[in-house]
Every structure is written in structure tokens, then in C-alpha cells.
Amino acid sequence: MTDSLATLEAKIQSAVRVFLFLDYDGTLAEFAPTPDDIFPDPEIIRLLEDLTAIPRIEPAIISGRKLPYLQRLLPVKGLLLAGTYGIEIQTRDGEILHRADSALIQPPLQNLKSRWQQLIQQTNGIYLEDKGWSLALHAKDAEAAEAERILLMAESMAQKLDSALFRILGGHRFLEIAPQAANKGFTIQALLAETLDQADTAVYLGDDDKDEEAFAVLQELGGYAVKVAPPNTPTRAQFRLDSPAAARAWLHKVVVCCSTAEY
Ligand SMILES: [Mg+2]
């Protein structure tokens, strides 16, 4: 059972600084048909410009998408972008940070890529995405039994990689292999742990299991999680919004509240 958002709005209004972490797909935007669809949404860009313009709000996008796609989706000056779950970060000043070692990650990943390409070449509806820092298989357009068979084989190939370096991420007809640091929880820890003060508030809006990892870390640091999902969806978040449209409407409200509050 989640709480009324009015409680969270009051905390945001009284905070000196508000760290606002936002997932993109399924949270701010409705899902794109494929991960390579990059349709910048003027309404979302405007919303993030408005949030970024409020001095005491520090918005950040924490997404599974690769950073170059986020840069094209959200050309907003002063907005922090964390791509591939936080492996690649564009800071508020525009500096680019990498939280994994390319020399260690690339050789095994490229080796696995050619094995996965061979595995899927006879199958329709499975898409291999090379994100640079990770590899993902998207199988939602494949026939169900075939998708399951291929993803299981792909997973057993991925399990042969060094688990000290890599982690396997799942999802609905989805499999991804990424560096261990590709974890939204670690990313929140890295971005927040040393800067969060008692007078500050941290809020995270997200829709899936990768966001739940961030919710846990954020809650441990005293922050608040908002699940973007229909009622009765299991979550550890304290608050909930029904859909990306509801999330955008609520953030518009935050803009109005914080723009008029006396700070
Ligand atoms: Mg999402």
C-alpha cells in the first residue's frame, strides 16, 4: 500500500535541495517500439528544462539506454544524464564519466556478441542491441517458445563470462549482459552518498526491477521512491503514480509548487 503524494509534495516544498532522479522509458515516456527509436518529445524536454531551471532542484535521468541516445532524446543544458544504468554519465557541467574499464569489458563482450549473433541468425523477431558498454537481446517480437529457448541458450553463454566483471540483467523477453557497475542502485550511491544533507530531499521515479535496485539504496539514504505503474503492482516504493502521463502531470505540479515557493 503506497502513501498519498501530498506527503511527498510537502517534503519537496520544505527541502533546501531536491535531488530528483528520473528513469526515462516507462516512467517519463511511454515505451518506444524498439530501443533504437529515438523520438525526442518536446513536452518532456520542456518539463526537464523547467525542472532544471529551478535552482534548488537537481534533476538527473537514470536510464538503461546508452548515453548517446539520451543526449539526443534530452538536449537539456544542466541536466545530468546517466546512461547504461549509470556506466556512462554526462554531468551537469557536460563532463563525461565512465564507471567501468573499457579495456577489461570490451574483449569478452565482443566475443560474446559474435556468439549471440550466430545464435539468433535463424530466428525471427529477436534483436541484438550493442550498447557499447553492454549487449542486450530483445525478444518481444519472437514466438514465445522460441524466445524462451534462445534466451536460455544466450544466458548460459553469458554465464561463462567473469562474474566479477559482468552481471546479467533480465526482464520480459529480455536479456542483457553489462559491467557489474551497471546497477542503478550503485549509481545512486555514487551520485548521492556524499552530497545528501539532512535538509535535502531525494526522490526517484521509476517503473521496473532495475529501478527497484535504486529505490532500495535511496530509501537507505533517507530518500523517497515513486513507482510508476498501475495499482497493486508489487514494489518497495513508498509512493505511486499510475502511468508516464500521470508522472509528467505530477512533475508539472512540482515545477509550479517549487517556482512559487519562497526560496
Ligand atoms: Mg523504465
Side-chain angles (χ1 to χ4, degrees):
M1 192 66 195
T2 48
D3 295 343
S4 156
L5 279 157
T7 319
L8 182 56
E9 288 156 19
K11 291 187 188 301
I12 289 173
Q13 277 202 317
S14 64
V16 171
R17 277 191 307 178
V18 180
F19 295 93
L20 183 59
F21 299 103
L22 305 164
D23 170 47
Y24 189 79
D25 295 274
T27 296
L28 290 181
E30 281 72 19
F31 279 104
T34 83
D36 285 337
D37 285 327
I38 303 165
F39 303 121
D41 180 327
E43 186 208 333
I44 296 175
I45 291 171
R46 178 70 198 276
L47 174 60
L48 288 161
E49 283 171 346
D50 288 349
L51 286 164
T52 306
I54 299 170
R56 67 193 186 88
I57 298 192
E58 298 202 14
I61 299 294
I62 315 287
S63 171
R65 288 210 194 211
K66 58 185 178 186
L67 183 59
Y69 284 8
L70 292 180
Q71 289 167 325
R72 284 163 62 190
L73 276 171
L74 297 167
V76 177
K77 203 168 182 297
L79 176 66
L80 187 146
L81 300 175
T84 318
Y85 315 101
I87 290 289
E88 36 180 7
I89 293 176
Q90 178 178 292
T91 68
R92 295 187 169 89
D93 301 330
E95 192 189 344
I96 304 295
L97 308 174
H98 292 143
R99 296 181 48 251
D101 183 348
S102 177
L104 288 176
I105 295 300
Q106 287 305 329
L109 216 52
Q110 289 309 312
N111 184 291
L112 181 67
K113 182 182 176 182
S114 57
R115 300 187 65 207
W116 274 9
Q117 276 170 332
Q118 278 175 8
L119 176 69
I120 67 169
Q121 66 185 359
Q122 307 292 346
T123 308
N124 290 322
I126 298 189
Y127 174 74
L128 170 58
E129 183 190 11
D130 183 349
K131 295 206 239 172
W133 288 95
S134 76
L135 295 176
L137 286 173
H138 301 262
K140 70 178 170 54
D141 296 331
E143 189 265 317
E146 181 70 350
E148 191 181 349
R149 188 181 71 84
I150 297 282
L151 289 182
L152 272 173
M153 288 171 70
E155 186 169 356
S156 83
M157 290 174 179
Q159 278 164 349
K160 296 196 172 66
L161 271 64
D162 184 354
S163 63
L165 287 179
F166 293 98
R167 69 186 305 224
I168 296 171
L169 299 155
H172 176 63
R173 295 202 195 167
F174 173 80
L175 182 71
E176 181 167 6
I177 180 142
Q180 275 291 348
N183 176 320
K184 290 183 173 187
F186 294 173
T187 302
I188 295 301
Q189 184 87 35
L191 291 175
L192 206 55
E194 283 163 26
T195 43
L196 193 64
D197 190 84
Q198 268 209 324
D200 301 335
T201 292
V203 180
Y204 190 116
L205 270 67
D207 71 301
D208 72 14
D209 58 326
K210 285 93 178 170
D211 299 309
E212 295 280 335
E213 291 184 326
F215 293 169
V217 172
L218 192 81
Q219 287 167 328
E220 217 160 276
L221 293 169
Y224 303 94
V226 183
K227 181 82 164 183
V228 179
N232 303 319
T233 308
T235 180
R236 59 172 301 139
Q238 300 104 314
F239 302 97
R240 192 185 57 76
L241 287 157
D242 276 341
S243 63
R248 295 193 297 269
W250 185 73
L251 290 168
H252 278 297
K253 195 172 161 187
V254 169
V255 168
V256 173
C257 286
C258 289
S259 302
T260 53
E262 286 175 29
Y263 279 93

